[in-house]
Amino acid sequence: MQIAYPKSFLKLLLIGFALAMLPLLFAFGNAALYLDRLATQSRDTVTQAVQATRASRALVEQITFMERSARQYFVLEDALLLENYEKAHEKFVDAWQDLDQLPMTNRQKHALIQLSNEELSLFQSVVHPANPAPLIEETVDRFADLTAKAQDILDENNRQIDRESAILAETAERTQQIMLWQTLTLIPVALLVALMITFLVAQPIRRMDAAIRKLGEGDYTEPISIDGPGDLRNLGERLDWLRAQLNELDQQKQRFLRNVSHELKTPLTAIREGSELLGDEVGGTLTPQQREIAGILRESSLRLQKMIENLLNYTAVQFHAPQLKLEPIALTKLAEDILADYSLTISNKNIGIQRDFFPTEIVGDHEKIHSVLDNLVSNAIKYTSPSSNIRISITHQADHAIIEVHDGGPGVMSADKAKLFDPFYRGDSVYESLVSGSGLGLSIAKEYVDAHGGEIILLPSEHGAHFRVSLPLKAVTA
């Protein structure tokens, strides 16, 4: 299933940010809604509680004032006292109306209506007394009954306020739990969305990183296709174009190496034959100086032949995995033969060869093992200082043969160690390192050792370069 990406990487980031924020924004909005409802309910509850308490207390206070005014009026029969009673009655009616407008239970409504009717009846009997006039004791008892009923209404209102407060507290707790569970649910959702967006963003970047890494490693065979936003797809197309160009350059390099190597072999053969004829004194007896010059020609032609063979071998390795022709190989004899080829150079530089040979035989490709050992020995001879020593060790451990070559040269600089076995790498340290020359010898040696299932490494050394080759006693062909 192919993912439909937006046209630009920036748009993908914006969409991802928006999607990741959406659950959190929903949580914030929902929390704000719940809090607003809770605040409104709290405000209404407090307002109603204050109004109910104020009105209920006003009822009780006005009944008490009316009772006092009525008693004084019955005793003194002063019109001003009766007027005070009527004003208290009006305030009582106002308080009753305020209380009647508040939400109440049916029981509270019934008690409030009954209180109003009894107060009105008492007011009529005081203001418009019938014949005979009501007794003071009877009026006082009726006022006491009104006070008790008003106090009951006040108490009931207080109990109602307590119930509303409890409901409000329960609502607040329930809202808190809802918000908590909502947060616990939406945070994983937001994280999941963020992970999905991260995957969508990282996937094309990982593919691009892998493609660039392959280009850096010289693998130009696999086409580069980046599935992502439009600008990243365009970048992927540019990388594929670069891959095609690098592949063409690499093929041109391989063709050039093959052609140059083959072209150089023809004149080199003539030089080798001529130097050998001179050395054999076919053209006449040579003076000591002429013999020395003939030896120099022979050594130089051998070195040039080795460089050309390295180029040919490297070209072959690049196109085909090394094919092994297995046969028994006596490593000690092979080492002695290679040292004999360099006997003149060893003698001229007065190099001492320390042999730690243990008779060891392996089954492998004679030509390739010869190339490996020849590269190590030639490098050791080349970079060993005059009148120094080279140590060559051949042993076997368990099911592996161990070959070690430790020269007396300046060694390998730290900057060269990481790319020691890279093709064409020759280093740029202050000392002439072991990767000078064509830069192919160690690279080809590693290819051949790997083909045998072995390992070649550079061991730590206080002086000189110390190489170790581990080869199985019997290689297995692919």
Side-chain angles (χ1 to χ4, degrees):
M1 178 180 177
Q2 188 174 5
I3 303 174
Y5 283 91
K7 292 184 178 181
S8 68
F9 189 73
L10 178 60
K11 186 178 293 186
L12 175 62
L13 291 178
L14 292 177
I15 293 175
F17 180 77
L19 291 178
M21 291 295 297
L22 191 60
L24 299 179
L25 291 177
F26 174 77
F28 290 146
N30 207 15
L33 181 61
Y34 274 114
L35 291 176
D36 182 68
R37 290 178 181 175
L38 184 62
T40 302
Q41 184 178 356
S42 302
R43 184 176 62 252
D44 294 343
T45 300
V46 171
T47 302
Q48 292 175 10
V50 171
Q51 292 177 351
T53 302
R54 184 185 296 119
S56 299
R57 291 185 181 277
L59 290 179
V60 174
E61 291 173 356
Q62 296 307 319
I63 290 174
T64 302
F65 188 76
M66 284 189 293
E67 179 183 1
R68 185 168 59 252
S69 299
R71 285 186 177 189
Q72 292 174 352
Y73 173 71
F74 287 146
V75 173
L76 302 176
E77 294 184 355
D78 188 353
L80 181 59
L81 295 174
L82 183 61
E83 184 179 351
N84 291 338
Y85 177 82
E86 291 176 348
K87 290 180 179 179
H89 167 72
E90 292 176 357
K91 292 181 179 180
F92 174 86
V93 172
D94 292 338
W96 181 89
Q97 290 176 349
D98 293 339
L99 196 59
D100 184 61
Q101 293 178 359
L102 298 176
M104 295 182 178
T105 62
N106 292 331
R107 179 181 176 183
Q108 288 176 307
K109 286 283 186 182
H110 179 71
L112 190 60
I113 292 174
Q114 186 177 5
L115 176 66
S116 176
N117 292 334
E118 291 183 6
E119 191 278 334
L120 182 61
S121 173
L122 181 58
F123 175 76
Q124 293 293 338
S125 64
V126 172
V127 176
H128 306 290
N131 294 320
L135 299 175
I136 295 177
E137 292 78 6
E138 180 182 355
T139 302
V140 170
D141 291 339
R142 293 180 66 182
F143 272 113
D145 184 57
L146 283 179
T147 302
K149 289 183 178 181
Q151 188 65 43
D152 290 341
I153 291 175
L154 176 61
D155 294 340
E156 182 63 25
N157 284 339
N158 291 334
R159 287 191 292 272
Q160 180 66 22
I161 291 172
D162 293 338
R163 288 192 295 270
E164 292 292 337
S165 299
I167 292 174
L168 183 61
E170 183 180 355
T171 302
E173 183 178 359
R174 187 168 60 253
T175 300
Q176 183 180 9
Q177 292 177 352
I178 291 174
M179 292 173 62
L180 177 62
W181 283 109
Q182 178 179 272
T183 303
L184 294 177
T185 302
L186 290 178
I187 287 179
V189 172
L191 292 177
L192 181 60
V193 173
L195 288 176
M196 291 176 59
I197 297 302
T198 303
F199 172 77
L200 293 178
V201 172
Q203 187 179 23
I205 295 178
R206 283 198 302 267
R207 291 179 179 175
M208 190 174 301
D209 178 71
I212 294 174
R213 185 177 292 109
K214 285 185 177 181
L215 291 180
E217 294 172 352
D219 183 3
Y220 312 126
T221 57
E222 185 177 352
I224 298 175
S225 177
I226 306 298
D227 182 21
D231 44 9
L232 290 186
R233 286 198 300 270
N234 294 335
L235 186 56
E237 293 175 358
R238 295 295 182 89
L239 285 177
D240 189 62
W241 172 82
L242 178 61
R243 177 199 64 82
Q245 295 296 317
L246 291 175
N247 189 33
E248 177 64 24
L249 289 175
D250 187 65
Q251 292 178 0
Q252 291 178 7
K253 181 186 71 175
Q254 302 299 337
R255 288 194 295 267
F256 172 77
L257 290 176
R258 288 198 304 270
N259 295 335
V260 169
S261 301
H262 283 290
E263 291 296 328
L264 288 177
K265 288 189 70 175
T266 301
L268 177 62
T269 302
I271 295 174
R272 282 292 312 277
E273 291 177 354
S275 63
E276 294 292 342
L277 291 174
L278 287 175
D280 294 339
E281 298 183 349
V282 174
T285 304
L286 300 179
T287 64
Q289 186 177 10
Q290 290 173 339
R291 189 179 299 278
E292 183 180 356
I293 294 173
I296 294 174
L297 288 174
R298 180 177 178 275
E299 291 291 337
S300 299
S301 62
L302 284 173
R303 183 180 177 187
L304 182 59
Q305 180 183 1
K306 181 182 175 183
M307 295 177 65
I308 293 175
E309 288 175 353
N310 283 340
L311 287 173
L312 290 173
N313 292 335
Y314 172 74
T315 304
V317 167
Q318 294 302 303
F319 283 90
H320 304 285
Q323 300 298 317
L324 305 182
K325 297 179 181 180
L326 301 183
E327 58 181 300
I329 305 172
L331 292 180
T332 54
K333 183 180 182 304
L334 180 62
E336 291 290 0
D337 292 341
I338 293 173
L339 288 172
D341 292 336
Y342 293 99
S343 59
L344 182 59
T345 306
I346 293 173
S347 176
N348 290 336
K349 296 183 70 173
N350 193 26
I351 295 175
I353 304 298
Q354 180 183 348
R355 296 172 174 82
D356 295 333
F357 290 171
F358 185 85
T360 304
E361 186 175 283
I362 67 171
V363 176
D365 191 303
H366 186 279
E367 181 182 352
K368 292 177 173 55
I369 298 301
H370 181 282
S371 177
V372 172
L373 194 53
D374 183 73
N375 273 299
L376 293 178
V377 171
S378 64
N379 280 336
I381 294 172
K382 180 179 179 180
Y383 297 107
T384 295
S385 303
S387 301
S388 298
N389 295 322
I390 296 176
R391 177 179 173 271
I392 302 176
S393 170
I394 299 177
T395 60
H396 65 79
Q397 298 176 0
D399 57 347
H400 279 71
I402 306 298
I403 304 173
E404 294 187 11
V405 179
H406 191 178
D407 64 42
V412 181
M413 300 300 293
S414 300
D416 296 332
K417 291 180 180 179
K419 298 183 178 181
L420 188 62
F421 297 99
D422 290 354
F424 298 106
Y425 184 77
R426 297 182 296 175
D428 54 359
S429 58
V430 293
Y431 295 106
E432 187 180 27
S433 66
L434 292 180
V435 286
S436 61
S438 66
L440 292 174
L442 292 177
S443 174
I444 295 172
K446 187 177 188 310
E447 291 285 349
Y448 288 167
V449 172
D450 290 343
H452 282 78
E455 180 185 36
I456 178 171
I457 58 174
L458 177 69
L459 297 177
S461 176
E462 293 183 0
H463 65 278
H466 189 178
F467 286 93
R468 177 179 178 176
V469 178
S470 175
L471 294 169
L473 296 180
K474 184 175 182 180
V476 180
T477 57

